[in-house]
Amino acid sequence: VKIFNWIATMWGGNIKMHTAMKYSIAMLLTFTIGGVSGVMHATSPHNLQQTDTYFVVAHFHYVLIGGLIFAIFGSLYYWFPKITGRLMDERMGSWQFWIYFVGFNLTFMPMHWIGLLGMPRRIYTYYDDLNLADLNLLSTAGVFIQSIGILLLFVNVVWSLKRGAPAGRNPFRAATLEWATDSPPAVHNFNRIPTVHSREPLWVEAEQVEAAAFGPMEEHMHMPPNSFWPIFTAFGATMTFVLF
């Protein structure tokens, strides 16, 4: 269901291949691979062959990194302009994406074959008789390539914080309300609460939403004062779970 509604979301959108979009598509592809390799375990012969081997390690990381890390990186590139008011460098972002994407697949794709050929998980060495040295060397090389990608991501964040181009309100021409406010947004978000009649208000009702965002403030608009109570609430909730 998730795979198809993600595809349908892109189908109904106006796709621009920014770095955030590349990570979104990569998430979709890698998460699907991880999901399909997981469904295999429902079949007893497959499960018997693959359990406690590196095939499971490959499956798990395609789900975890594909479904989580790629999505987080894409979100960072997407909302960084809204949070900071500056765009991340797209050229560096594209290089960072491809380096990390290649490194990820080079690390974990060979593990499928490593596991099927008999290498168990949770070991620190393996027998030469398995003839798995070349595949393991590819996985090791992939880790170093991933590390370069992560380092480049940090460089892009630091560089963009200082020298990134001003983002403006809506650099991606997105349809949702967070892009109707300044970047970074004001403390109160909107001067007046916008009235929304569609799922894509900035595409359908751009003038009305903009008037709500930048018109005069309402006379009796409720602005809560600064308070420490949320900190106490968070601490209390944390201690509740700890005590359980």
Side-chain angles (χ1 to χ4, degrees), residues 42-226:
T43 306
S44 297
H46 282 283
N47 191 46
L48 184 65
Q49 174 71 15
Q50 294 158 193
T51 295
D52 276 336
T53 71
Y54 258 64
F55 188 97
V56 178
V57 178
H59 151 70
F60 175 78
H61 283 84
Y62 265 85
V63 172
L64 179 67
I65 296 181
L68 179 66
I69 303 301
F70 281 150
I72 290 175
F73 286 173
S75 300
L76 174 63
Y77 277 96
Y78 184 69
W79 275 300
F80 185 89
K82 180 54 60 180
I83 296 169
T84 66
R86 293 184 179 274
L87 290 165
M88 293 185 72
D89 185 81
E90 269 297 315
R91 178 178 294 182
M92 197 184 309
S94 184
W95 274 101
Q96 189 270 323
F97 164 76
W98 285 113
I99 290 172
Y100 187 78
F101 182 74
V102 170
F104 163 77
N105 284 284
L106 193 61
T107 300
F108 296 108
M109 184 60 76
M111 290 183 183
H112 291 97
W113 288 277
I114 291 171
L116 290 175
L117 291 173
M119 180 169 164
R121 64 194 297 201
R122 302 190 181 98
I123 59 171
Y124 75 96
T125 187
Y126 52 91
Y127 294 110
D128 290 336
D129 296 342
L130 293 175
N131 294 319
L132 299 176
D134 292 339
L135 289 173
N136 276 291
L137 182 61
L138 280 179
S139 288
T140 303
V143 173
F144 286 100
I145 295 173
Q146 283 188 87
S147 300
I148 294 172
I150 296 295
L151 178 62
L152 193 58
L153 175 63
F154 279 107
V155 170
N156 198 352
V157 168
V158 173
W159 188 93
S160 300
L161 281 172
K162 296 181 178 180
R163 300 186 180 183
R169 293 200 307 270
N170 191 1
F172 300 121
R173 300 186 66 186
T176 48
L177 288 178
E178 74 269 28
W179 300 103
T181 64
D182 287 325
S183 302
V187 175
H188 57 277
N189 290 333
F190 296 100
N191 290 336
R192 298 193 304 269
I193 297 176
T195 302
V196 175
H197 300 285
S198 66
R199 294 196 307 175
E200 295 90 15
L202 294 193
W203 289 348
V204 179
E205 304 151 6
E207 293 182 2
Q208 296 94 320
V209 173
E210 186 170 334
F214 300 100
M217 287 198 50
E218 295 178 353
E219 291 185 20
H220 303 291
M221 186 174 183
H222 173 65
M223 296 296 295
N226 293 330

Side-chain angles (χ1 to χ4, degrees), residues 2-15 21 199-200 203:
K2 293 305 303 177
I3 299 300
F4 284 116
N5 70 27
W6 284 329
I7 293 174
T9 300
M10 290 194 294
W11 187 276
N14 184 13
I15 296 176
M21 191 71 237
R199 294 196 307 175
E200 295 90 15
W203 289 348

